[in-house]
Amino acid sequence: MADSSRVLPGFSLSLGYTIFYLSALVLIPLGALVLKTAQISPDELWKIITDPIVVSAYKLTFSASFYAAAINAVFGLILAWTLVRYSFPGRRFFDALIDFPFALPTAVAGLTYANLYLKDGWIGGLGPNIVGGVNWLSSSLGGGQLISTTALDWLTFPFTGQTSGIVAVLIFVSLPFVVRSIQPVLQEWDPEFETAARSLGADRFTIFRRVIFPEIFPAWFSGFGAAFARSIGEYGSVIFIAANIPGKSQIAPLQIVTKLDDFQYAAASAIGVVLLIVSLLLLFVINSIERFSRRHERAA
């Protein structure tokens, strides 16, 4: 007699479908990428991935992705804490707004940031206007030029196609990963543990550091890793705000597109494999930390 409690088909059929689905969508495409790269000789492969322009693109991609993920790790925690712990007008709206980067095409985000923060943008252009206005007022009062042109770099909004602009758009596209990883854990957290710690004389910082943060650390770190991995592969938003100068402000995904435009498919695959290996190692580290944390909780 069949088990009526089963909603889905039996284990064999479900497992077979799962393997087929994951193989068609993940394993086979990734395997094809590796096989395409394997067509290159080891010397040629090493020459491609160690090319100074490619190395510079890797450095920019990994550093900007790390900065964006680290910033989101801090402020994403604050956002998740605020949305879970406090009631205020418009909370549902702001909670829904967190998912906006998922729905918005990343190219639109990059175009928006470029129109706002580049030197000729609405906000980025405030620096020259401020300098010009102050100097004009000073000249009208007989004081001459008050602010030198060298001070313009300090007054111009720093999103001028360099790393800061890239980090800004990566923060935008990766923020939901941190917030949505932490929120469920905070929602299930029992505030009575905080009350007990407070009754024992612990201050707020000690309660957060010794009681709350160890419980949310696996989710927090998982969100950080997901944001980092997401930022590594971002392309659509970055190309609109980066200067895209080879060797200076060109990201690794743009290097892949450049190689494809030049019909260098094997070289593009080689660059992609490096990004793939880094992402897989990152996911392995995250999963290892989560398993360690769960074993530690069970032992405790």
Side-chain angles (χ1 to χ4, degrees):
M1 182 176 179
D3 187 358
S4 60
S5 64
R6 289 180 177 177
V7 178
L8 296 177
F11 172 76
S12 300
L13 182 59
S14 299
L15 179 62
Y17 177 77
T18 300
I19 295 176
F20 169 77
Y21 194 76
L22 290 178
S23 298
L25 293 181
V26 180
L27 296 180
I28 294 178
L30 293 182
L33 177 66
V34 175
L35 289 176
K36 186 68 176 180
T37 306
Q39 298 177 2
I40 308 175
S41 64
D43 293 337
E44 186 178 358
L45 175 62
W46 180 254
K47 183 179 179 180
I48 291 173
I49 63 178
T50 58
D51 181 85
I53 295 179
V54 176
V55 172
S56 176
Y58 283 140
K59 290 180 179 179
L60 177 59
T61 299
F62 294 140
S63 62
S65 299
F66 178 81
Y67 295 150
I71 293 173
N72 276 334
V74 176
F75 291 98
L77 174 59
I78 297 175
L79 286 173
W81 182 275
T82 303
L83 292 173
V84 172
R85 287 302 186 93
Y86 302 105
S87 297
F88 53 90
R91 185 181 68 170
R92 292 183 178 272
F93 169 77
F94 287 108
D95 186 51
L97 198 62
I98 297 296
D99 293 326
F100 190 62
F102 285 150
L104 183 71
T106 55
V108 177
L111 185 61
T112 302
Y113 271 71
N115 288 331
L116 283 176
Y117 298 129
L118 293 183
K119 286 185 177 180
D120 56 349
W122 294 353
I123 297 177
L126 291 178
N129 294 332
I130 293 174
V131 173
V134 172
N135 286 336
W136 175 83
L137 180 61
S138 178
S139 299
S140 301
L141 298 176
Q145 181 173 317
L146 186 63
I147 301 179
S148 64
T149 56
T150 57
L152 185 61
D153 293 336
W154 295 94
L155 294 174
T156 302
F157 205 79
F159 296 174
T160 56
Q162 303 302 322
T163 305
S164 54
I166 299 174
V167 171
V169 294
L170 293 182
I171 290 174
F172 174 80
V173 300
S174 62
L175 174 63
F177 291 92
V178 179
V179 178
R180 295 314 186 202
S181 296
I182 301 174
Q183 261 187 315
V185 181
L186 289 177
Q187 289 171 346
E188 296 177 359
W189 173 256
D190 190 351
E192 291 184 359
F193 293 104
E194 302 171 44
T195 304
R198 191 178 296 111
S199 66
L200 295 175
D203 55 27
R204 293 182 178 180
F205 178 74
T206 302
I207 294 174
F208 178 79
R209 182 173 60 89
R210 300 291 298 273
V211 179
I212 300 176
F213 189 71
E215 293 295 325
I216 67 174
F217 174 78
W220 175 82
F221 188 78
S222 177
F224 166 80
F228 186 26
R230 172 66 181 85
S231 299
I232 289 176
E234 177 57 27
Y235 171 77
S237 62
V238 175
I239 60 173
F240 284 96
I241 199 167
N244 298 323
I245 301 174
K248 292 184 178 180
S249 56
Q250 196 175 65
I251 58 174
L254 183 56
Q255 269 292 311
I256 296 176
V257 174
T258 302
K259 298 296 184 184
L260 292 176
D261 290 339
D262 294 336
F263 302 100
Q264 301 179 26
Y265 300 117
S269 300
I271 299 174
V273 165
V274 175
L275 297 179
L276 173 63
I277 292 174
V278 173
S279 298
L280 291 177
L281 288 176
L282 182 62
L283 293 176
F284 175 77
V285 171
I286 293 173
N287 292 332
S288 299
I289 292 178
E290 289 181 346
R291 286 196 299 269
F292 174 80
S293 299
R294 285 195 293 266
R295 287 198 301 267
H296 180 72
E297 290 176 359
R298 287 195 296 265

PDB file of all heavy atoms in Angstrom, residues 7-41:
ATOM      1  N   VAL A   7       3.365  13.640  -0.738  1.00  0.00           N
ATOM      2  CA  VAL A   7       2.748  14.537  -1.702  1.00  0.00           C
ATOM      3  C   VAL A   7       3.454  14.415  -3.042  1.00  0.00           C
ATOM      4  O   VAL A   7       2.823  14.355  -4.099  1.00  0.00           O
ATOM      5  CB  VAL A   7       2.781  15.995  -1.198  1.00  0.00           C
ATOM      6  CG1 VAL A   7       2.191  16.933  -2.232  1.00  0.00           C
ATOM      7  CG2 VAL A   7       2.040  16.103   0.127  1.00  0.00           C
ATOM      8  N   LEU A   8       4.786  14.360  -3.016  1.00  0.00           N
ATOM      9  CA  LEU A   8       5.577  14.216  -4.227  1.00  0.00           C
ATOM     10  C   LEU A   8       5.784  12.741  -4.558  1.00  0.00           C
ATOM     11  O   LEU A   8       5.563  11.880  -3.698  1.00  0.00           O
ATOM     12  CB  LEU A   8       6.931  14.919  -4.040  1.00  0.00           C
ATOM     13  CG  LEU A   8       6.887  16.435  -3.835  1.00  0.00           C
ATOM     14  CD1 LEU A   8       8.288  16.973  -3.590  1.00  0.00           C
ATOM     15  CD2 LEU A   8       6.247  17.144  -5.020  1.00  0.00           C
ATOM     16  N   PRO A   9       6.220  12.425  -5.776  1.00  0.00           N
ATOM     17  CA  PRO A   9       6.481  11.018  -6.127  1.00  0.00           C
ATOM     18  C   PRO A   9       7.567  10.409  -5.245  1.00  0.00           C
ATOM     19  O   PRO A   9       8.172  11.088  -4.403  1.00  0.00           O
ATOM     20  CB  PRO A   9       6.923  11.109  -7.591  1.00  0.00           C
ATOM     21  CG  PRO A   9       6.388  12.413  -8.079  1.00  0.00           C
ATOM     22  CD  PRO A   9       6.390  13.330  -6.895  1.00  0.00           C
ATOM     23  N   GLY A  10       7.827   9.135  -5.477  1.00  0.00           N
ATOM     24  CA  GLY A  10       8.782   8.414  -4.654  1.00  0.00           C
ATOM     25  C   GLY A  10      10.187   8.960  -4.753  1.00  0.00           C
ATOM     26  O   GLY A  10      10.509   9.808  -5.593  1.00  0.00           O
ATOM     27  N   PHE A  11      11.032   8.423  -3.874  1.00  0.00           N
ATOM     28  CA  PHE A  11      12.397   8.931  -3.768  1.00  0.00           C
ATOM     29  C   PHE A  11      13.172   8.780  -5.074  1.00  0.00           C
ATOM     30  O   PHE A  11      13.860   9.703  -5.516  1.00  0.00           O
ATOM     31  CB  PHE A  11      13.119   8.202  -2.635  1.00  0.00           C
ATOM     32  CG  PHE A  11      14.585   8.515  -2.563  1.00  0.00           C
ATOM     33  CD1 PHE A  11      15.034   9.717  -2.048  1.00  0.00           C
ATOM     34  CD2 PHE A  11      15.524   7.592  -3.015  1.00  0.00           C
ATOM     35  CE1 PHE A  11      16.388  10.010  -1.993  1.00  0.00           C
ATOM     36  CE2 PHE A  11      16.874   7.875  -2.968  1.00  0.00           C
ATOM     37  CZ  PHE A  11      17.306   9.091  -2.450  1.00  0.00           C
ATOM     38  N   SER A  12      13.076   7.637  -5.715  1.00  0.00           N
ATOM     39  CA  SER A  12      13.856   7.390  -6.936  1.00  0.00           C
ATOM     40  C   SER A  12      13.498   8.374  -8.041  1.00  0.00           C
ATOM     41  O   SER A  12      14.373   8.956  -8.689  1.00  0.00           O
ATOM     42  CB  SER A  12      13.624   5.951  -7.412  1.00  0.00           C
ATOM     43  OG  SER A  12      14.028   5.028  -6.426  1.00  0.00           O
ATOM     44  N   LEU A  13      12.188   8.567  -8.258  1.00  0.00           N
ATOM     45  CA  LEU A  13      11.760   9.499  -9.302  1.00  0.00           C
ATOM     46  C   LEU A  13      12.148  10.934  -8.967  1.00  0.00           C
ATOM     47  O   LEU A  13      12.611  11.681  -9.832  1.00  0.00           O
ATOM     48  CB  LEU A  13      10.252   9.386  -9.506  1.00  0.00           C
ATOM     49  CG  LEU A  13       9.648  10.269 -10.615  1.00  0.00           C
ATOM     50  CD1 LEU A  13      10.287   9.934 -11.958  1.00  0.00           C
ATOM     51  CD2 LEU A  13       8.137  10.089 -10.661  1.00  0.00           C
ATOM     52  N   SER A  14      11.963  11.337  -7.719  1.00  0.00           N
ATOM     53  CA  SER A  14      12.307  12.703  -7.308  1.00  0.00           C
ATOM     54  C   SER A  14      13.809  12.946  -7.426  1.00  0.00           C
ATOM     55  O   SER A  14      14.243  13.995  -7.914  1.00  0.00           O
ATOM     56  CB  SER A  14      11.866  12.947  -5.862  1.00  0.00           C
ATOM     57  OG  SER A  14      10.472  12.793  -5.738  1.00  0.00           O
ATOM     58  N   LEU A  15      14.617  11.973  -6.990  1.00  0.00           N
ATOM     59  CA  LEU A  15      16.062  12.116  -7.082  1.00  0.00           C
ATOM     60  C   LEU A  15      16.509  12.168  -8.537  1.00  0.00           C
ATOM     61  O   LEU A  15      17.376  12.969  -8.909  1.00  0.00           O
ATOM     62  CB  LEU A  15      16.748  10.965  -6.354  1.00  0.00           C
ATOM     63  CG  LEU A  15      18.283  10.972  -6.384  1.00  0.00           C
ATOM     64  CD1 LEU A  15      18.820  12.224  -5.701  1.00  0.00           C
ATOM     65  CD2 LEU A  15      18.839   9.717  -5.726  1.00  0.00           C
ATOM     66  N   GLY A  16      15.921  11.317  -9.386  1.00  0.00           N
ATOM     67  CA  GLY A  16      16.296  11.326 -10.793  1.00  0.00           C
ATOM     68  C   GLY A  16      15.978  12.649 -11.457  1.00  0.00           C
ATOM     69  O   GLY A  16      16.781  13.181 -12.229  1.00  0.00           O
ATOM     70  N   TYR A  17      14.805  13.192 -11.160  1.00  0.00           N
ATOM     71  CA  TYR A  17      14.438  14.485 -11.737  1.00  0.00           C
ATOM     72  C   TYR A  17      15.360  15.591 -11.228  1.00  0.00           C
ATOM     73  O   TYR A  17      15.761  16.476 -11.986  1.00  0.00           O
ATOM     74  CB  TYR A  17      12.992  14.818 -11.392  1.00  0.00           C
ATOM     75  CG  TYR A  17      12.556  16.173 -11.880  1.00  0.00           C
ATOM     76  CD1 TYR A  17      12.246  16.384 -13.216  1.00  0.00           C
ATOM     77  CD2 TYR A  17      12.491  17.251 -11.000  1.00  0.00           C
ATOM     78  CE1 TYR A  17      11.869  17.635 -13.669  1.00  0.00           C
ATOM     79  CE2 TYR A  17      12.107  18.506 -11.446  1.00  0.00           C
ATOM     80  CZ  TYR A  17      11.796  18.689 -12.783  1.00  0.00           C
ATOM     81  OH  TYR A  17      11.430  19.934 -13.221  1.00  0.00           O
ATOM     82  N   THR A  18      15.693  15.538  -9.944  1.00  0.00           N
ATOM     83  CA  THR A  18      16.581  16.558  -9.371  1.00  0.00           C
ATOM     84  C   THR A  18      17.946  16.532 -10.043  1.00  0.00           C
ATOM     85  O   THR A  18      18.498  17.583 -10.409  1.00  0.00           O
ATOM     86  CB  THR A  18      16.732  16.326  -7.856  1.00  0.00           C
ATOM     87  OG1 THR A  18      15.453  16.408  -7.237  1.00  0.00           O
ATOM     88  CG2 THR A  18      17.656  17.363  -7.248  1.00  0.00           C
ATOM     89  N   ILE A  19      18.508  15.337 -10.197  1.00  0.00           N
ATOM     90  CA  ILE A  19      19.820  15.219 -10.830  1.00  0.00           C
ATOM     91  C   ILE A  19      19.766  15.698 -12.282  1.00  0.00           C
ATOM     92  O   ILE A  19      20.653  16.407 -12.759  1.00  0.00           O
ATOM     93  CB  ILE A  19      20.321  13.769 -10.741  1.00  0.00           C
ATOM     94  CG1 ILE A  19      20.565  13.385  -9.276  1.00  0.00           C
ATOM     95  CG2 ILE A  19      21.595  13.586 -11.560  1.00  0.00           C
ATOM     96  CD1 ILE A  19      20.961  11.932  -9.086  1.00  0.00           C
ATOM     97  N   PHE A  20      18.708  15.306 -12.998  1.00  0.00           N
ATOM     98  CA  PHE A  20      18.571  15.726 -14.390  1.00  0.00           C
ATOM     99  C   PHE A  20      18.453  17.247 -14.496  1.00  0.00           C
ATOM    100  O   PHE A  20      19.102  17.881 -15.335  1.00  0.00           O
ATOM    101  CB  PHE A  20      17.342  15.068 -15.024  1.00  0.00           C
ATOM    102  CG  PHE A  20      16.980  15.645 -16.360  1.00  0.00           C
ATOM    103  CD1 PHE A  20      17.698  15.317 -17.501  1.00  0.00           C
ATOM    104  CD2 PHE A  20      15.915  16.535 -16.471  1.00  0.00           C
ATOM    105  CE1 PHE A  20      17.367  15.866 -18.735  1.00  0.00           C
ATOM    106  CE2 PHE A  20      15.582  17.091 -17.695  1.00  0.00           C
ATOM    107  CZ  PHE A  20      16.312  16.755 -18.833  1.00  0.00           C
ATOM    108  N   TYR A  21      17.636  17.828 -13.639  1.00  0.00           N
ATOM    109  CA  TYR A  21      17.407  19.273 -13.690  1.00  0.00           C
ATOM    110  C   TYR A  21      18.682  20.047 -13.377  1.00  0.00           C
ATOM    111  O   TYR A  21      19.048  20.996 -14.087  1.00  0.00           O
ATOM    112  CB  TYR A  21      16.302  19.642 -12.701  1.00  0.00           C
ATOM    113  CG  TYR A  21      15.742  21.033 -12.873  1.00  0.00           C
ATOM    114  CD1 TYR A  21      14.860  21.314 -13.904  1.00  0.00           C
ATOM    115  CD2 TYR A  21      16.099  22.058 -12.002  1.00  0.00           C
ATOM    116  CE1 TYR A  21      14.338  22.587 -14.063  1.00  0.00           C
ATOM    117  CE2 TYR A  21      15.587  23.328 -12.151  1.00  0.00           C
ATOM    118  CZ  TYR A  21      14.703  23.582 -13.191  1.00  0.00           C
ATOM    119  OH  TYR A  21      14.204  24.851 -13.352  1.00  0.00           O
ATOM    120  N   LEU A  22      19.375  19.667 -12.310  1.00  0.00           N
ATOM    121  CA  LEU A  22      20.609  20.355 -11.936  1.00  0.00           C
ATOM    122  C   LEU A  22      21.706  20.131 -12.976  1.00  0.00           C
ATOM    123  O   LEU A  22      22.511  21.033 -13.240  1.00  0.00           O
ATOM    124  CB  LEU A  22      21.073  19.874 -10.563  1.00  0.00           C
ATOM    125  CG  LEU A  22      20.220  20.311  -9.375  1.00  0.00           C
ATOM    126  CD1 LEU A  22      20.770  19.727  -8.083  1.00  0.00           C
ATOM    127  CD2 LEU A  22      20.157  21.832  -9.275  1.00  0.00           C
ATOM    128  N   SER A  23      21.744  18.940 -13.554  1.00  0.00           N
ATOM    129  CA  SER A  23      22.754  18.665 -14.576  1.00  0.00           C
ATOM    130  C   SER A  23      22.523  19.523 -15.812  1.00  0.00           C
ATOM    131  O   SER A  23      23.466  20.091 -16.375  1.00  0.00           O
ATOM    132  CB  SER A  23      22.734  17.178 -14.953  1.00  0.00           C
ATOM    133  OG  SER A  23      23.040  16.376 -13.839  1.00  0.00           O
ATOM    134  N   ALA A  24      21.265  19.635 -16.243  1.00  0.00           N
ATOM    135  CA  ALA A  24      20.964  20.404 -17.452  1.00  0.00           C
ATOM    136  C   ALA A  24      21.222  21.889 -17.260  1.00  0.00           C
ATOM    137  O   ALA A  24      21.661  22.578 -18.189  1.00  0.00           O
ATOM    138  CB  ALA A  24      19.509  20.165 -17.861  1.00  0.00           C
ATOM    139  N   LEU A  25      20.962  22.383 -16.056  1.00  0.00           N
ATOM    140  CA  LEU A  25      21.071  23.829 -15.825  1.00  0.00           C
ATOM    141  C   LEU A  25      22.421  24.266 -15.266  1.00  0.00           C
ATOM    142  O   LEU A  25      22.839  25.401 -15.491  1.00  0.00           O
ATOM    143  CB  LEU A  25      19.966  24.292 -14.866  1.00  0.00           C
ATOM    144  CG  LEU A  25      18.532  24.209 -15.391  1.00  0.00           C
ATOM    145  CD1 LEU A  25      17.557  24.723 -14.350  1.00  0.00           C
ATOM    146  CD2 LEU A  25      18.377  25.002 -16.683  1.00  0.00           C
ATOM    147  N   VAL A  26      23.101  23.365 -14.544  1.00  0.00           N
ATOM    148  CA  VAL A  26      24.321  23.778 -13.843  1.00  0.00           C
ATOM    149  C   VAL A  26      25.531  22.959 -14.286  1.00  0.00           C
ATOM    150  O   VAL A  26      26.523  23.506 -14.801  1.00  0.00           O
ATOM    151  CB  VAL A  26      24.131  23.664 -12.314  1.00  0.00           C
ATOM    152  CG1 VAL A  26      25.410  24.094 -11.596  1.00  0.00           C
ATOM    153  CG2 VAL A  26      22.953  24.505 -11.857  1.00  0.00           C
ATOM    154  N   LEU A  27      25.478  21.656 -14.096  1.00  0.00           N
ATOM    155  CA  LEU A  27      26.672  20.839 -14.288  1.00  0.00           C
ATOM    156  C   LEU A  27      27.132  20.801 -15.745  1.00  0.00           C
ATOM    157  O   LEU A  27      28.331  20.961 -16.029  1.00  0.00           O
ATOM    158  CB  LEU A  27      26.410  19.414 -13.786  1.00  0.00           C
ATOM    159  CG  LEU A  27      26.141  19.282 -12.282  1.00  0.00           C
ATOM    160  CD1 LEU A  27      25.889  17.823 -11.917  1.00  0.00           C
ATOM    161  CD2 LEU A  27      27.308  19.842 -11.479  1.00  0.00           C
ATOM    162  N   ILE A  28      26.220  20.588 -16.671  1.00  0.00           N
ATOM    163  CA  ILE A  28      26.613  20.493 -18.077  1.00  0.00           C
ATOM    164  C   ILE A  28      27.165  21.824 -18.604  1.00  0.00           C
ATOM    165  O   ILE A  28      28.220  21.835 -19.247  1.00  0.00           O
ATOM    166  CB  ILE A  28      25.432  19.998 -18.932  1.00  0.00           C
ATOM    167  CG1 ILE A  28      25.095  18.555 -18.542  1.00  0.00           C
ATOM    168  CG2 ILE A  28      25.747  20.097 -20.414  1.00  0.00           C
ATOM    169  CD1 ILE A  28      23.900  17.982 -19.286  1.00  0.00           C
ATOM    170  N   PRO A  29      26.506  22.966 -18.371  1.00  0.00           N
ATOM    171  CA  PRO A  29      27.101  24.232 -18.828  1.00  0.00           C
ATOM    172  C   PRO A  29      28.468  24.513 -18.212  1.00  0.00           C
ATOM    173  O   PRO A  29      29.387  24.960 -18.912  1.00  0.00           O
ATOM    174  CB  PRO A  29      26.069  25.273 -18.407  1.00  0.00           C
ATOM    175  CG  PRO A  29      24.784  24.531 -18.346  1.00  0.00           C
ATOM    176  CD  PRO A  29      25.146  23.176 -17.838  1.00  0.00           C
ATOM    177  N   LEU A  30      28.606  24.257 -16.899  1.00  0.00           N
ATOM    178  CA  LEU A  30      29.905  24.499 -16.264  1.00  0.00           C
ATOM    179  C   LEU A  30      30.953  23.529 -16.790  1.00  0.00           C
ATOM    180  O   LEU A  30      32.120  23.902 -16.992  1.00  0.00           O
ATOM    181  CB  LEU A  30      29.772  24.361 -14.745  1.00  0.00           C
ATOM    182  CG  LEU A  30      28.916  25.416 -14.037  1.00  0.00           C
ATOM    183  CD1 LEU A  30      28.909  25.189 -12.540  1.00  0.00           C
ATOM    184  CD2 LEU A  30      29.381  26.827 -14.367  1.00  0.00           C
ATOM    185  N   GLY A  31      30.548  22.292 -17.023  1.00  0.00           N
ATOM    186  CA  GLY A  31      31.483  21.335 -17.606  1.00  0.00           C
ATOM    187  C   GLY A  31      31.921  21.736 -18.997  1.00  0.00           C
ATOM    188  O   GLY A  31      33.092  21.572 -19.370  1.00  0.00           O
ATOM    189  N   ALA A  32      30.990  22.279 -19.788  1.00  0.00           N
ATOM    190  CA  ALA A  32      31.341  22.748 -21.128  1.00  0.00           C
ATOM    191  C   ALA A  32      32.326  23.902 -21.056  1.00  0.00           C
ATOM    192  O   ALA A  32      33.247  24.006 -21.889  1.00  0.00           O
ATOM    193  CB  ALA A  32      30.080  23.174 -21.870  1.00  0.00           C
ATOM    194  N   LEU A  33      32.157  24.768 -20.055  1.00  0.00           N
ATOM    195  CA  LEU A  33      33.101  25.879 -19.886  1.00  0.00           C
ATOM    196  C   LEU A  33      34.499  25.362 -19.578  1.00  0.00           C
ATOM    197  O   LEU A  33      35.494  25.834 -20.144  1.00  0.00           O
ATOM    198  CB  LEU A  33      32.608  26.796 -18.759  1.00  0.00           C
ATOM    199  CG  LEU A  33      33.514  27.981 -18.403  1.00  0.00           C
ATOM    200  CD1 LEU A  33      33.588  28.966 -19.560  1.00  0.00           C
ATOM    201  CD2 LEU A  33      33.010  28.679 -17.140  1.00  0.00           C
ATOM    202  N   VAL A  34      34.581  24.381 -18.685  1.00  0.00           N
ATOM    203  CA  VAL A  34      35.891  23.822 -18.328  1.00  0.00           C
ATOM    204  C   VAL A  34      36.512  23.097 -19.522  1.00  0.00           C
ATOM    205  O   VAL A  34      37.719  23.202 -19.776  1.00  0.00           O
ATOM    206  CB  VAL A  34      35.744  22.883 -17.121  1.00  0.00           C
ATOM    207  CG1 VAL A  34      37.068  22.194 -16.817  1.00  0.00           C
ATOM    208  CG2 VAL A  34      35.257  23.651 -15.896  1.00  0.00           C
ATOM    209  N   LEU A  35      35.700  22.353 -20.273  1.00  0.00           N
ATOM    210  CA  LEU A  35      36.217  21.639 -21.436  1.00  0.00           C
ATOM    211  C   LEU A  35      36.720  22.603 -22.505  1.00  0.00           C
ATOM    212  O   LEU A  35      37.728  22.332 -23.176  1.00  0.00           O
ATOM    213  CB  LEU A  35      35.133  20.730 -22.020  1.00  0.00           C
ATOM    214  CG  LEU A  35      34.760  19.497 -21.186  1.00  0.00           C
ATOM    215  CD1 LEU A  35      33.618  18.741 -21.843  1.00  0.00           C
ATOM    216  CD2 LEU A  35      35.974  18.590 -21.000  1.00  0.00           C
ATOM    217  N   LYS A  36      36.024  23.715 -22.675  1.00  0.00           N
ATOM    218  CA  LYS A  36      36.476  24.718 -23.643  1.00  0.00           C
ATOM    219  C   LYS A  36      37.821  25.278 -23.225  1.00  0.00           C
ATOM    220  O   LYS A  36      38.722  25.490 -24.064  1.00  0.00           O
ATOM    221  CB  LYS A  36      35.444  25.848 -23.737  1.00  0.00           C
ATOM    222  CG  LYS A  36      35.731  26.867 -24.818  1.00  0.00           C
ATOM    223  CD  LYS A  36      35.593  26.281 -26.198  1.00  0.00           C
ATOM    224  CE  LYS A  36      35.784  27.315 -27.277  1.00  0.00           C
ATOM    225  NZ  LYS A  36      35.643  26.755 -28.646  1.00  0.00           N
ATOM    226  N   THR A  37      38.001  25.488 -21.941  1.00  0.00           N
ATOM    227  CA  THR A  37      39.285  25.999 -21.447  1.00  0.00           C
ATOM    228  C   THR A  37      40.374  24.944 -21.575  1.00  0.00           C
ATOM    229  O   THR A  37      41.543  25.280 -21.799  1.00  0.00           O
ATOM    230  CB  THR A  37      39.141  26.428 -19.977  1.00  0.00           C
ATOM    231  OG1 THR A  37      38.058  27.360 -19.864  1.00  0.00           O
ATOM    232  CG2 THR A  37      40.412  27.089 -19.477  1.00  0.00           C
ATOM    233  N   ALA A  38      40.011  23.670 -21.456  1.00  0.00           N
ATOM    234  CA  ALA A  38      41.002  22.591 -21.533  1.00  0.00           C
ATOM    235  C   ALA A  38      41.616  22.470 -22.919  1.00  0.00           C
ATOM    236  O   ALA A  38      42.650  21.812 -23.081  1.00  0.00           O
ATOM    237  CB  ALA A  38      40.359  21.270 -21.127  1.00  0.00           C
ATOM    238  N   GLN A  39      41.001  23.087 -23.915  1.00  0.00           N
ATOM    239  CA  GLN A  39      41.563  23.055 -25.259  1.00  0.00           C
ATOM    240  C   GLN A  39      42.823  23.903 -25.393  1.00  0.00           C
ATOM    241  O   GLN A  39      43.561  23.774 -26.364  1.00  0.00           O
ATOM    242  CB  GLN A  39      40.515  23.529 -26.265  1.00  0.00           C
ATOM    243  CG  GLN A  39      39.273  22.651 -26.326  1.00  0.00           C
ATOM    244  CD  GLN A  39      38.221  23.193 -27.274  1.00  0.00           C
ATOM    245  OE1 GLN A  39      38.430  24.218 -27.922  1.00  0.00           O
ATOM    246  NE2 GLN A  39      37.092  22.513 -27.366  1.00  0.00           N
ATOM    247  N   ILE A  40      43.048  24.762 -24.409  1.00  0.00           N
ATOM    248  CA  ILE A  40      44.227  25.625 -24.436  1.00  0.00           C
ATOM    249  C   ILE A  40      45.388  24.889 -23.773  1.00  0.00           C
ATOM    250  O   ILE A  40      45.216  24.195 -22.768  1.00  0.00           O
ATOM    251  CB  ILE A  40      43.948  26.948 -23.699  1.00  0.00           C
ATOM    252  CG1 ILE A  40      42.671  27.599 -24.233  1.00  0.00           C
ATOM    253  CG2 ILE A  40      45.111  27.912 -23.842  1.00  0.00           C
ATOM    254  CD1 ILE A  40      42.259  28.833 -23.474  1.00  0.00           C
ATOM    255  N   SER A  41      46.559  25.068 -24.313  1.00  0.00           N
ATOM    256  CA  SER A  41      47.748  24.478 -23.696  1.00  0.00           C
ATOM    257  C   SER A  41      48.027  25.158 -22.352  1.00  0.00           C
ATOM    258  O   SER A  41      47.650  26.314 -22.146  1.00  0.00           O
ATOM    259  CB  SER A  41      48.959  24.647 -24.618  1.00  0.00           C
ATOM    260  OG  SER A  41      49.268  26.016 -24.791  1.00  0.00           O
TER     261      SER A  41
END
